Amino acid sequence: MQAANRLQKALRTGSGLTFGAWQMLPGSNHSRTIARCGFDWICVDTEHGNIDDAAMHEAVAAIAGCGVSPIVRIPANEGWMVKRALDSGAHGIIVPLIYTANDTIKLLKSAKFPPQGQRGFGSPFPMDKFGIETTTEYLHQANDALLTIVQIETKEALQNIDAIAQTAVDCLFIGPFDLGNNIGHPIIDGKMDDELHEAIATIQRSAKEHNKSTGIYCTSGDQARHYADQGFHMVSVAADMIALPTYLTSALTTAKGSYVHSALNIAKGAAAKMTGPYGR
């Protein structure tokens, strides 16, 4: 199982650098199209995306079938949500709105089979996403082969970062938009205040001290390269709900060939910097 988990294997070898994409729209063909672009992992976003339980199962299977790690972001730190995501065959989970080390301990109990945790056993679906055949193999290997990733995006998590980093989670993944909002320094028109930069650096320092991988949500290739050069390991490059409207708007503007039309689109924000994680 560990050999099939592309993200886990990459995080544990060499520089540990990986690049991923964000899927918010449903559809297995959509999943395969993104997966075939060369990413190491794809986040299937069931928190803010238009992806229900059935669509999550289809996306996970399609992504894994392309040799890419499907990572599911669940809506909240709830045991049944952890179980549904992992039972689909996800190679790991991203869990939002963590506040304290106790939250991560609760999460780990939900994500691990006994004796390390209390996850229920019985799903017939995950084995083929790892190239194994039996549920027994999955039961014996899952605790070591699946990734538990916590999203650091609250003021409380920032204050408790050392305690959170000391737990057995695999990666601290920064959500800069919510983190900025929660510490009183929101990202406006793509501008990040010094206080937000320092908060991100604080999280990274704590992760290094406690031998944890770090990840961060980015909205462009340039931004992703910047954080990769800063030593982050799990770096998102693009989201479908950014890429599609950006490309389509640009192509239409070029096709119409009108300076006035181009200027109007810019004024409307089509080419402006991000204020929110998926647009303005």
Side-chain angles (χ1 to χ4, degrees), residues 9-270:
K9 191 161 80 170
L11 290 175
R12 294 182 176 180
T13 58
S15 68
L17 175 60
T18 69
F19 291 112
W22 224 257
Q23 180 180 345
M24 304 190 74
L25 297 174
S28 56
N29 284 331
H30 186 64
S31 302
R32 277 187 286 270
T33 298
I34 301 171
R36 288 169 179 162
C37 290
F39 295 106
D40 299 298
W41 54 273
I42 296 172
C43 175
V44 179
D45 190 355
T46 69
E47 182 189 17
H48 294 303
N50 181 27
I51 298 178
D52 61 16
D53 196 76
M56 174 191 71
H57 272 261
E58 292 179 359
V60 165
I63 293 163
C66 294
V68 176
S69 284
I71 306 297
V72 174
R73 178 162 76 165
I74 61 177
N77 187 14
E78 297 289 342
W80 69 271
M81 295 181 185
V82 173
K83 178 164 58 178
R84 293 299 297 165
L86 294 180
D87 280 1
S88 74
H91 290 189
I93 49 173
I94 298 178
V95 183
L97 297 174
I98 294 296
Y99 297 92
T100 68
N102 284 338
D103 290 337
T104 63
I105 292 168
K106 171 189 173 184
L107 167 61
L108 288 162
K109 287 181 179 179
S110 299
K112 304 292 185 182
F113 290 123
Q116 290 97 322
Q118 56 192 26
R119 179 184 169 193
F121 171 62
S123 174
F125 303 114
M127 286 71 70
D128 59 331
K129 286 75 172 181
F130 295 91
I132 59 176
E133 296 184 359
T134 69
T135 55
T136 301
E137 289 176 281
Y138 184 82
L139 174 64
H140 288 165
Q141 299 178 42
N143 282 357
D144 294 324
L146 303 178
L147 291 165
T148 306
I149 302 157
V150 292
Q151 201 156 334
I152 307 300
E153 55 184 349
T154 66
K155 182 178 180 180
E156 293 83 356
L158 179 62
Q159 293 168 339
N160 295 309
I161 192 61
D162 286 331
I164 291 171
Q166 290 178 57
T167 65
V169 295
D170 296 291
C171 181
L172 308 181
F173 193 94
I174 298 170
F177 288 93
D178 272 328
L179 181 60
N181 292 341
N182 285 319
I183 65 172
H185 294 277
I187 298 174
I188 304 296
D189 290 334
K191 182 180 181 299
M192 296 171 65
D193 291 344
D194 290 343
E195 290 82 356
L196 179 54
H197 284 298
E198 179 53 34
I200 291 171
T202 296
I203 296 164
Q204 189 179 26
R205 284 194 297 268
S206 181
K208 286 181 178 179
E209 182 179 345
H210 296 98
N211 198 31
K212 292 290 188 293
S213 297
T214 51
I216 190 164
Y217 178 87
C218 298
T219 55
S220 71
D222 288 339
Q223 190 182 51
R225 185 68 256 170
H226 168 77
Y227 283 109
D229 290 342
Q230 295 297 313
F232 282 82
H233 307 104
M234 185 181 175
V235 184
S236 71
V237 175
D240 53 4
M241 280 304 296
I242 296 175
L244 276 170
T246 298
Y247 175 77
L248 293 173
T249 301
S250 174
L252 178 60
T253 299
T254 300
K256 289 189 173 182
S258 166
Y259 175 80
V260 173
H261 180 77
S262 299
L264 179 61
N265 273 283
I266 291 172
K268 288 179 178 179

